[in-house]
Amino acid sequence: MQQAALRSAVAVAALAWKADAMSSVRVEFAPSGLSVSVEPGTTVLDAARTAGADLDSTCGGRGLCGRCQIVPTRPDALTSWASTEADYTGRRPILDGQRLGCAAQVCSDVVVEIPAASQVHKQVVRKAVDVGDIDVDPLVRLHYIELPKAELDSELGGLSEQIGAALLADYDITMAHLDAAVLPLIAPAAKRGENAITVAVRHGRDVCAVYPGYVDRAFGVAVDVGSTTVAGHLVDLATGEVVASNGVMNPQIRFGDDLMSRVSYVMMNPGGEIELTRSIRTALDTMIDVLVGQAADDQTTHHDAAEQRPIDRSSVLDMTIVGNPIMHHVILGIDPTPLGQAPFLLATDSAVTVDASDLELDAPFAKVYLLPCIAGHVGADTAGAILAEGPHRCDDLQLLVDVGTNAEIVFGNSAHVLAASSPTGPAFEGAQISAGMRATAGAIERVRIDRETLEPRIKVIGSDLWSDDPSFDMETRKLDIAGICGSGIIEVMGELYLAGLLDVDGTMRSDGPSKSSRVFADGRTYSYRLFGNSDDPAENINVTQDDVRAIQLAKAALRAGIDLLCEHAGRTDPNGIGSVRLAGAFGAHIDPLYAKVLGLVPDVPVAKVASVGNAAGAGAVRALVSAAQRAEIEDAVRRVEKIETATEPRFQELFVSAMGFPHTSEPTPNLATETALPVAQARAAGEGARQRTGRRRRPT
């Protein structure tokens, strides 16, 4: 009897299992390979959630957002086109061959492809700033909620509790906190949205904003605060797309061209740090307004703009900032004077997160994340550049140089990364150069000098023509060609050297006037007339011996810092360096060949030298759209070895050796194969031992 009962029970269980197997269907998701068995009639979105597949949805499966589009390999394995899809009018049109995962139900076994645009951790879209390939994983996400209609005898709990219940039921999110500033906004939002609201959730647990009705776009702002310029980007947090960009001069320039001048201003003027802080915060707030305005203007041209919530300051939910240590401290309202003298102590080298309102920024729902600093002269901008270019992710050695008033240098690979700062000064940006100017319309940005005639050709910002083009004068007639910007300065120095008018030690050669009328005596030295034909030399754009010396000092400081890091790493052979990356607003426009001619970088093959643009800003964007990127850079900077050039005795020796073009003592065999190098001028014994400019400098 017992055996018969046991056999009967087994048979019943087997029949039940068989019936269950026959009633379930298998869904496999590509490209992840995840699969799940579900009941027929289950939506693809629910199946994806059960399987843990990466399928996006902001509206909670209500057919509003269009983010959950999928591609079935067998269309007949899904139910036919649903009314939700037929009536869909969202901002993202349903593409041919695709279905809404929230509407399409599974009928039989099927493989479903989730396109990149429908993935939660989708690849970032690049525009205006190159952030590389990363997964978009913002700290703040939007979720659409339909609140139950309250009746007199209903026991629904408070609105905050209703939001918590809806998040748990619809999105499996356990709300941990709802910002106090959001609480009084819930009822008005629910009334305007007829009980439908969209909430923003930070860190997957904290409600930080609320909007009436359905909203599917939230934004963040990434800013690189440089000593000269401030560059900002407005980014769609869900897609990673940069939708607006803007750049302005740093208003602190009125307190001094370089950082130490601004620190000196604070030291000599009580309350000066308050002025510095107020000026940069005002600039940041204005930038938010400009970026939001640009995006709002673009929105009004969109075909369904009337159906979208207007983009305004409340649309900005997150913000990241990078900057050098002094900018970092000033933005936070921290006295920067300790950074102006040894031992250059940072108030903190950790990442900092504050409310936007704490920085006097009008973005009511936003928090601001400042990337970590590395050392007293190596700041969050360098951290951003490291995050963007990834020396810590490379097996090959990478040399990363952000060329500016202070040059930040990073050298290493995944095994060991070193960083330092060199005081190059503002010469590369046009300051301290007799005809130097900022990179604006009319500035000379490209230079070529004929090796035989020694006649120059130039290009200026605002025109694509070289000056020997017959149409050049006509096209540039409205431009004031008044000086040379940074890239032009680098090129004219390189061309003067390659044309044999500058010697290795940076001296204007005395035989220059015999070769060209453009070389003329200027006191006890010589100058070169680059542009203009006036009989009065002062009315032309000239390159003087003092200009050459200013560039020599700047480039020697930069090169000495590089050589110092190479020595500390024990890797002094240029051929062992895998890549050299020139970053920054100025570095982005340096021709790699001329960087080598001047000796700004070691003698690696020129093919390994590249300009990478605003790497610091790209790092700020990466940190804005990815929580993983924030964790990565916080970990990476803790492992960076800091080298302080100001306290390194070897730095001065390397500085002196780097004064020559391309270098006083290091051979340049790679460069010799890439361009024709001039022969040094023969000199009498003792001549040139003492380098003088013929002009007496004012005492400082």
Side-chain angles (χ1 to χ4, degrees):
M1 289 290 293
Q2 291 179 345
Q3 290 180 344
L6 180 61
R7 285 196 297 270
S8 177
V10 170
V12 170
L15 288 171
W17 177 86
K18 184 176 181 181
D20 183 66
M22 291 177 64
S23 66
S24 66
V25 295
R26 191 159 191 81
V27 185
E28 182 176 331
F29 293 94
S32 66
L34 294 170
S35 61
V36 65
S37 294
V38 297
E39 296 291 325
T42 302
T43 66
V44 175
L45 178 60
D46 285 339
R49 288 171 172 170
T50 303
D54 192 19
L55 182 58
D56 201 0
S57 175
T58 297
C59 68
R62 294 174 174 85
L64 299 174
C65 67
R67 295 183 189 275
C68 64
Q69 295 184 44
I70 52 89
V71 181
T73 55
R74 288 180 47 232
D76 61 342
L78 304 182
T79 54
S80 59
W81 198 260
S83 59
T84 302
E85 295 166 301
D87 298 337
Y88 173 76
T89 58
R91 193 168 62 86
R92 295 168 179 77
I94 302 175
L95 302 180
D96 289 344
Q98 299 192 8
R99 300 286 304 277
L100 291 183
C102 62
Q105 299 174 359
V106 181
C107 298
S108 59
D109 294 353
V110 65
V111 176
V112 173
E113 178 190 350
I114 301 178
S118 298
Q119 297 170 15
V120 175
H121 304 288
K122 54 184 68 70
Q123 289 292 297
V124 70
V125 177
R126 297 184 291 278
K127 173 185 172 185
V129 60
D130 186 2
V131 300
D133 294 323
I134 61 170
D135 289 336
V136 177
D137 179 27
L139 274 74
V140 186
R141 294 184 182 275
L142 296 177
H143 299 283
Y144 174 74
I145 291 173
E146 292 178 352
L147 297 172
K149 187 175 181 180
E151 303 289 348
L152 283 176
D153 58 347
S154 62
E155 297 181 2
L156 298 175
L159 290 173
S160 174
E161 288 69 29
Q162 292 179 40
I163 290 173
L167 286 173
L168 184 60
D170 294 345
Y171 302 98
D172 197 25
I173 292 174
T174 300
M175 185 179 75
H177 174 73
L178 189 146
D179 286 358
V182 174
L183 201 56
L185 305 176
I186 301 175
K191 182 177 180 180
R192 286 181 56 196
E194 298 179 346
N195 274 30
I197 61 173
T198 299
V199 296
V201 179
R202 192 185 304 277
H203 298 301
R205 62 179 186 271
D206 300 330
V207 175
C208 61
V210 61
Y211 308 100
Y214 173 67
V215 177
D216 75 339
R217 297 190 84 186
F219 299 90
V221 174
V223 186
D224 174 19
V225 182
S227 55
T228 303
T229 58
V230 181
H233 309 281
L234 185 74
V235 182
D236 186 319
L237 291 177
T239 66
E241 178 187 5
V242 177
V243 298
S245 296
N246 186 47
V248 298
M249 297 295 293
N250 188 326
Q252 293 179 345
I253 285 179
R254 68 178 184 269
F255 301 108
D257 271 344
D258 58 75
L259 295 173
M260 288 302 105
S261 296
R262 297 174 203 176
V263 172
S264 296
Y265 178 85
V266 174
M267 290 177 173
M268 295 184 293
N269 296 272
E273 71 279 7
I274 297 174
E275 294 182 73
L276 288 175
T277 296
R278 183 184 300 116
S279 67
I280 191 59
R281 287 182 177 178
T282 299
L284 291 174
D285 191 63
T286 301
M287 175 164 284
I288 293 173
D289 195 52
V290 171
L291 292 171
V292 167
Q294 289 180 14
D297 290 343
D298 289 343
Q299 184 187 52
T300 58
T301 63
H302 200 278
H303 73 279
D304 62 350
E307 301 174 14
Q308 300 180 45
R309 179 183 181 275
I311 299 172
D312 57 24
R313 286 174 178 266
S314 68
S315 305
V316 177
L317 299 180
D318 211 359
M319 189 168 178
T320 54
I321 295 178
V322 297
N324 58 63
I326 290 176
M327 290 299 98
H328 174 278
H329 280 39
V330 167
I331 290 168
L332 290 172
I334 301 171
D335 181 5
T337 54
L339 297 172
Q341 53 195 350
F344 313 110
L345 287 176
L346 291 161
T348 178
D349 59 7
S350 300
V352 177
T353 302
V354 297
D355 290 336
S357 58
D358 292 338
L359 302 183
E360 303 174 272
L361 303 178
D362 182 10
F365 299 136
K367 285 191 179 293
V368 181
Y369 175 85
L370 289 89
L371 274 67
C373 290
I374 298 173
H377 285 152
V378 186
D381 50 352
T382 305
I386 290 173
L387 186 59
E389 297 304 316
H392 60 296
R393 297 188 292 264
C394 297
D395 292 330
D396 292 335
L397 286 171
Q398 180 190 113
L399 174 61
L400 171 62
V401 185
D402 193 330
V403 187
T405 306
N406 267 3
E408 283 78 36
I409 308 161
V410 179
F411 182 65
N413 57 15
S414 56
H416 186 203
V417 176
L418 304 94
S421 175
S422 275
T424 54
F428 286 143
E429 296 174 346
Q432 300 176 350
I433 303 298
S434 60
M437 64 181 291
R438 301 198 185 281
T440 57
I444 297 173
E445 62 171 344
R446 292 285 180 261
V447 177
R448 296 293 183 270
I449 297 176
D450 186 276
R451 301 295 184 265
E452 298 298 326
T453 65
L454 302 181
E455 286 296 300
R457 295 186 299 135
I458 65 165
K459 285 183 72 173
V460 299
I461 297 176
S463 172
D464 293 329
L465 301 180
W466 285 92
S467 58
D468 59 346
D469 189 293
S471 301
F472 177 82
D473 290 340
M474 179 64 69
E475 181 166 319
T476 61
R477 67 187 186 280
K478 294 183 179 179
L479 296 175
D480 180 17
I481 304 177
I484 319 171
C485 67
S487 60
I489 292 167
I490 295 297
E491 292 197 3
V492 73
M493 296 296 172
E495 283 288 297
L496 286 171
Y497 171 71
L498 293 175
L501 295 176
L502 267 184
D503 220 338
V504 172
D505 65 359
T507 302
M508 285 278 194
R509 290 176 57 152
S510 59
D511 59 354
S514 65
K515 297 178 178 179
S516 171
S517 61
R518 287 188 173 273
V519 182
F520 60 93
D522 189 3
R524 288 177 288 177
T525 60
Y526 298 91
S527 295
Y528 179 82
R529 176 170 52 87
L530 178 63
F531 185 78
N533 295 300
S534 174
D535 292 334
D536 182 358
E539 294 184 9
N540 299 321
I541 297 176
N542 304 315
V543 180
T544 71
Q545 183 68 69
D546 275 353
D547 296 338
V548 179
R549 294 293 181 240
I551 291 300
Q552 281 185 280
L553 293 171
K555 81 99 177 181
L558 171 59
R559 180 62 183 273
I562 292 173
D563 292 344
L564 187 64
L565 290 192
C566 291
E567 286 189 358
H568 273 271
R571 309 295 289 270
T572 55
D573 180 6
N575 291 311
I577 298 175
S579 65
V580 177
R581 307 191 181 193
L582 303 174
F586 169 56
H589 295 92
I590 298 176
D591 185 306
L593 177 64
Y594 290 97
K596 289 189 58 181
V597 169
L598 263 65
L600 292 174
V601 298
D603 186 42
V604 302
V606 73
K608 292 184 177 182
V609 185
S611 296
V612 295
N614 184 6
V621 174
R622 291 174 76 107
L624 181 67
V625 301
S626 172
Q629 291 287 294
R630 296 190 188 189
E632 178 181 326
I633 193 56
E634 289 178 21
D635 175 68
V637 298
R638 281 191 286 269
R639 294 184 283 110
V640 173
E641 180 182 354
K642 282 79 72 175
I643 305 299
E644 181 53 67
T645 57
T647 59
E648 285 276 346
R650 179 74 174 137
F651 179 80
Q652 188 61 33
E653 299 174 36
L654 295 171
F655 175 86
V656 172
S657 296
M659 284 287 288
F661 294 136
H663 195 277
T664 302
S665 56
E666 290 293 327
T668 54
N670 286 318
L671 180 61
T673 67
E674 295 157 353
T675 188
L677 298 177
V679 178
Q681 181 181 23
R683 297 188 179 185
E687 183 182 356
R690 184 181 181 187
Q691 298 178 352
R692 298 191 60 175
T693 66
R695 297 186 182 183
R696 188 182 301 274
R697 291 185 178 272
R698 293 182 180 179
T700 57

